[in-house]
Amino acid sequence: MSESTGTTNLEPVLISPVVGGMIRTWSEDETRLWSVDDPAALGALLGRGLVARTTLPDNKFREVAFLNPQTQALTVQPRFASQDSTALAAPFELTAATAPTGGAWEDLEAVLASIAISAAGRGEFWLAELGGWDSPHEPNCLFTTVDESGLANAVMEATPAPVGTGVWPEVPHGQAGVSVSAPASQDTIEAAGIFAVSAIETWGVTPWDINLTFGKLVDFA
Protein backbone atom coordinates (compact mmCIF):
# COMPACT_ATOMS: atom_id res chain seq x y z
CA MET A 1 0.00 0.00 0.00
CA SER A 2 1.31 3.46 -0.84
CA GLU A 3 0.03 7.00 -0.94
CA SER A 4 0.50 8.72 -4.30
CA THR A 5 1.51 12.38 -4.21
CA GLY A 6 1.89 13.58 -7.80
CA THR A 7 4.51 11.25 -9.25
CA THR A 8 5.78 10.20 -5.83
CA ASN A 9 4.72 7.07 -4.02
CA LEU A 10 4.99 7.33 -0.25
CA GLU A 11 4.97 4.07 1.66
CA PRO A 12 3.38 4.03 5.12
CA VAL A 13 5.91 2.70 7.60
CA LEU A 14 5.98 1.93 11.29
CA ILE A 15 8.93 3.41 13.16
CA SER A 16 11.05 2.37 16.12
CA PRO A 17 12.01 4.92 18.77
CA VAL A 18 15.00 7.06 17.79
CA VAL A 19 18.02 5.45 19.48
CA GLY A 20 21.64 6.40 18.89
CA GLY A 21 20.62 8.63 15.98
CA MET A 22 19.00 5.70 14.16
CA ILE A 23 15.55 4.28 13.53
CA ARG A 24 14.12 1.11 12.04
CA THR A 25 11.21 1.31 9.62
CA TRP A 26 8.76 -1.43 8.75
CA SER A 27 6.91 -1.31 5.44
CA GLU A 28 4.61 -4.06 4.20
CA ASP A 29 7.53 -5.59 2.28
CA GLU A 30 10.70 -5.00 4.27
CA THR A 31 12.37 -3.57 7.32
CA ARG A 32 15.44 -1.31 7.23
CA LEU A 33 17.71 0.39 9.73
CA TRP A 34 18.51 4.04 9.00
CA SER A 35 20.54 6.95 10.29
CA VAL A 36 18.47 10.16 10.61
CA ASP A 37 19.73 13.60 9.63
CA ASP A 38 18.08 15.26 12.66
CA PRO A 39 17.44 12.58 15.28
CA ALA A 40 16.69 15.06 18.07
CA ALA A 41 13.88 16.69 16.06
CA LEU A 42 12.36 13.36 15.05
CA GLY A 43 12.68 12.00 18.58
CA ALA A 44 10.86 15.05 19.94
CA LEU A 45 7.83 14.16 17.78
CA LEU A 46 7.53 10.41 18.28
CA GLY A 47 5.57 9.06 21.22
CA ARG A 48 4.06 12.43 22.11
CA GLY A 49 0.62 11.97 20.55
CA LEU A 50 1.54 14.40 17.76
CA VAL A 51 1.97 12.29 14.64
CA ALA A 52 -0.38 10.25 12.47
CA ARG A 53 -1.47 6.85 13.75
CA THR A 54 -2.70 3.59 12.30
CA THR A 55 -5.46 1.65 14.05
CA LEU A 56 -4.88 -1.81 15.50
CA PRO A 57 -7.44 -4.25 16.93
CA ASP A 58 -8.89 -3.46 20.37
CA ASN A 59 -8.75 0.30 19.77
CA LYS A 60 -4.96 0.47 19.99
CA PHE A 61 -2.71 2.55 17.78
CA ARG A 62 0.80 2.77 16.38
CA GLU A 63 2.45 5.85 14.95
CA VAL A 64 2.98 5.82 11.20
CA ALA A 65 5.12 7.93 8.88
CA PHE A 66 5.55 7.97 5.10
CA LEU A 67 8.75 6.88 3.37
CA ASN A 68 9.83 7.85 -0.13
CA PRO A 69 12.01 4.89 -1.18
CA GLN A 70 13.51 6.81 -4.11
CA THR A 71 14.73 9.84 -2.17
CA GLN A 72 14.99 8.10 1.23
CA ALA A 73 12.98 10.87 2.84
CA LEU A 74 10.68 10.27 5.79
CA THR A 75 7.61 12.49 6.12
CA VAL A 76 5.92 12.72 9.52
CA GLN A 77 2.36 13.91 9.22
CA PRO A 78 0.39 15.46 12.08
CA ARG A 79 -2.23 13.51 13.96
CA PHE A 80 -4.49 16.57 14.20
CA ALA A 81 -4.74 19.55 11.88
CA SER A 82 -3.42 22.77 13.44
CA GLN A 83 -1.60 25.97 12.59
CA ASP A 84 1.66 24.15 13.32
CA SER A 85 0.90 21.20 11.00
CA THR A 86 3.23 22.39 8.26
CA ALA A 87 6.23 22.17 10.58
CA LEU A 88 5.56 18.46 11.09
CA ALA A 89 5.42 17.84 7.35
CA ALA A 90 9.10 18.70 6.72
CA PRO A 91 10.81 15.47 5.60
CA PHE A 92 13.73 13.89 7.43
CA GLU A 93 16.62 12.60 5.35
CA LEU A 94 17.56 8.97 5.90
CA THR A 95 20.84 7.27 5.04
CA ALA A 96 22.16 3.76 5.46
CA ALA A 97 22.64 3.08 9.16
CA THR A 98 26.08 3.58 10.65
CA ALA A 99 27.48 1.35 13.36
CA PRO A 100 26.21 2.42 16.80
CA THR A 101 28.83 4.01 19.02
CA GLY A 102 27.60 2.29 22.18
CA GLY A 103 25.19 3.26 24.89
CA ALA A 104 22.15 2.35 22.79
CA TRP A 105 20.32 0.65 25.65
CA GLU A 106 20.90 3.65 27.91
CA ASP A 107 19.57 5.87 25.13
CA LEU A 108 16.44 3.71 24.77
CA GLU A 109 15.95 3.86 28.53
CA ALA A 110 15.92 7.68 28.44
CA VAL A 111 13.62 7.75 25.41
CA LEU A 112 11.07 5.44 27.03
CA ALA A 113 11.19 7.39 30.28
CA SER A 114 10.41 10.61 28.40
CA ILE A 115 7.60 8.97 26.42
CA ALA A 116 6.15 7.59 29.67
CA ILE A 117 5.86 11.11 31.08
CA SER A 118 4.11 12.26 27.91
CA ALA A 119 1.76 9.26 27.79
CA ALA A 120 0.79 9.66 31.45
CA GLY A 121 -0.12 13.28 30.78
CA ARG A 122 -2.41 12.16 27.94
CA GLY A 123 -3.95 9.34 29.97
CA GLU A 124 -2.51 6.73 27.60
CA PHE A 125 -0.53 3.55 28.06
CA TRP A 126 2.29 2.36 25.87
CA LEU A 127 3.15 -1.20 25.03
CA ALA A 128 6.66 -2.05 23.84
CA GLU A 129 6.47 -4.90 21.34
CA LEU A 130 8.47 -6.31 18.46
CA GLY A 131 8.05 -4.16 15.39
CA GLY A 132 6.26 -4.99 12.17
CA TRP A 133 2.77 -4.88 10.72
CA ASP A 134 2.13 -8.50 11.75
CA SER A 135 4.20 -8.58 14.93
CA PRO A 136 3.42 -11.13 17.66
CA HIS A 137 1.55 -10.11 20.82
CA GLU A 138 4.37 -11.46 22.99
CA PRO A 139 6.89 -10.58 24.24
CA ASN A 140 5.65 -7.23 25.46
CA CYS A 141 6.14 -4.67 28.20
CA LEU A 142 3.37 -2.31 29.32
CA PHE A 143 3.52 1.07 31.03
CA THR A 144 0.40 2.82 32.30
CA THR A 145 -0.99 4.84 35.17
CA VAL A 146 -4.06 3.63 37.04
CA ASP A 147 -6.32 5.57 39.40
CA GLU A 148 -7.20 3.57 42.48
CA SER A 149 -9.37 5.15 45.19
CA GLY A 150 -8.37 8.60 44.00
CA LEU A 151 -4.66 7.83 43.95
CA ALA A 152 -2.64 7.37 40.76
CA ASN A 153 -0.24 4.44 40.51
CA ALA A 154 2.45 3.91 37.89
CA VAL A 155 2.21 0.31 36.67
CA MET A 156 4.61 -1.84 34.64
CA GLU A 157 3.83 -5.30 33.30
CA ALA A 158 6.01 -7.68 31.30
CA THR A 159 5.16 -10.91 29.47
CA PRO A 160 6.94 -13.26 29.67
CA ALA A 161 8.18 -12.51 33.16
CA PRO A 162 11.84 -11.35 32.87
CA VAL A 163 14.29 -13.59 34.68
CA GLY A 164 17.55 -12.58 36.35
CA THR A 165 17.33 -8.85 35.62
CA GLY A 166 17.91 -7.59 39.16
CA VAL A 167 15.12 -5.09 38.40
CA TRP A 168 11.96 -7.14 38.03
CA PRO A 169 10.88 -9.39 40.91
CA GLU A 170 11.38 -13.10 40.35
CA VAL A 171 8.11 -15.03 40.01
CA PRO A 172 7.21 -18.71 40.41
CA HIS A 173 8.19 -20.95 37.51
CA GLY A 174 5.37 -21.14 35.00
CA GLN A 175 3.85 -17.74 35.81
CA ALA A 176 3.21 -16.06 32.50
CA GLY A 177 3.96 -12.46 33.41
CA VAL A 178 4.78 -10.05 36.20
CA SER A 179 3.67 -6.58 37.24
CA VAL A 180 4.98 -3.91 39.58
CA SER A 181 3.42 -0.65 40.75
CA ALA A 182 4.21 2.41 42.84
CA PRO A 183 2.49 5.72 43.60
CA ALA A 184 2.76 7.83 40.46
CA SER A 185 5.37 10.60 40.53
CA GLN A 186 7.85 11.89 38.00
CA ASP A 187 10.48 9.52 39.39
CA THR A 188 8.29 6.40 39.33
CA ILE A 189 6.93 7.21 35.86
CA GLU A 190 10.41 7.81 34.45
CA ALA A 191 11.47 4.46 35.99
CA ALA A 192 9.41 2.91 33.18
CA GLY A 193 12.53 3.26 31.04
CA ILE A 194 14.61 1.16 33.43
CA PHE A 195 11.99 -1.56 33.78
CA ALA A 196 11.18 -1.71 30.08
CA VAL A 197 14.80 -1.91 28.94
CA SER A 198 15.66 -4.59 31.49
CA ALA A 199 12.77 -6.67 30.11
CA ILE A 200 13.51 -5.98 26.43
CA GLU A 201 17.15 -6.99 26.86
CA THR A 202 15.97 -10.51 27.75
CA TRP A 203 14.17 -10.86 24.40
CA GLY A 204 17.37 -11.30 22.40
CA VAL A 205 16.74 -8.23 20.22
CA THR A 206 18.30 -4.82 19.59
CA PRO A 207 16.88 -1.45 20.69
CA TRP A 208 15.79 -0.83 17.06
CA ASP A 209 13.58 -3.94 16.93
CA ILE A 210 11.00 -2.32 19.20
CA ASN A 211 7.80 -0.55 18.22
CA LEU A 212 5.42 1.23 20.61
CA THR A 213 1.65 0.70 20.70
CA PHE A 214 -0.61 3.25 22.41
CA GLY A 215 -4.13 3.24 23.83
CA LYS A 216 -6.31 4.08 26.82
CA LEU A 217 -7.26 1.64 29.55
CA VAL A 218 -10.77 3.09 29.60
CA ASP A 219 -11.32 1.46 26.20
CA PHE A 220 -10.86 -1.95 27.83
CA ALA A 221 -13.15 -1.39 30.82
Side-chain angles (χ1 to χ4, degrees), residues 20-42:
M22 300 189 297
I23 60 168
R24 181 175 292 281
T25 60
W26 292 269
S27 67
E28 288 188 346
D29 301 322
E30 66 174 355
T31 179
R32 291 189 62 179
L33 188 63
W34 307 91
S35 290
V36 185
D37 65 332
D38 193 345
L42 180 57

Side-chain angles (χ1 to χ4, degrees), residues 14-26 31-34 46 97-112 115 126-132 193 196-212:
L14 300 174
I15 324 168
S16 73
V18 182
V19 177
M22 300 189 297
I23 60 168
R24 181 175 292 281
T25 60
W26 292 269
T31 179
R32 291 189 62 179
L33 188 63
W34 307 91
L46 300 180
T98 57
T101 58
W105 288 109
E106 291 81 359
D107 197 2
L108 179 61
E109 180 182 308
V111 168
L112 294 179
I115 293 176
W126 56 248
L127 190 66
E129 301 175 286
L130 299 182
V197 164
S198 66
I200 295 166
E201 285 185 294
T202 69
W203 300 351
V205 300
T206 76
W208 302 277
D209 295 323
I210 303 305
N211 201 195
L212 295 180

Side-chain angles (χ1 to χ4, degrees), residues 1-13 28 52 64-70 75-78 89:
M1 179 175 65
S2 63
E3 179 176 298
S4 180
T5 305
T7 58
T8 302
N9 288 324
L10 300 179
E11 296 183 356
V13 291
E28 288 188 346
V64 63
F66 293 89
L67 176 66
N68 183 329
Q70 286 74 42
T75 299
V76 179
Q77 296 184 344

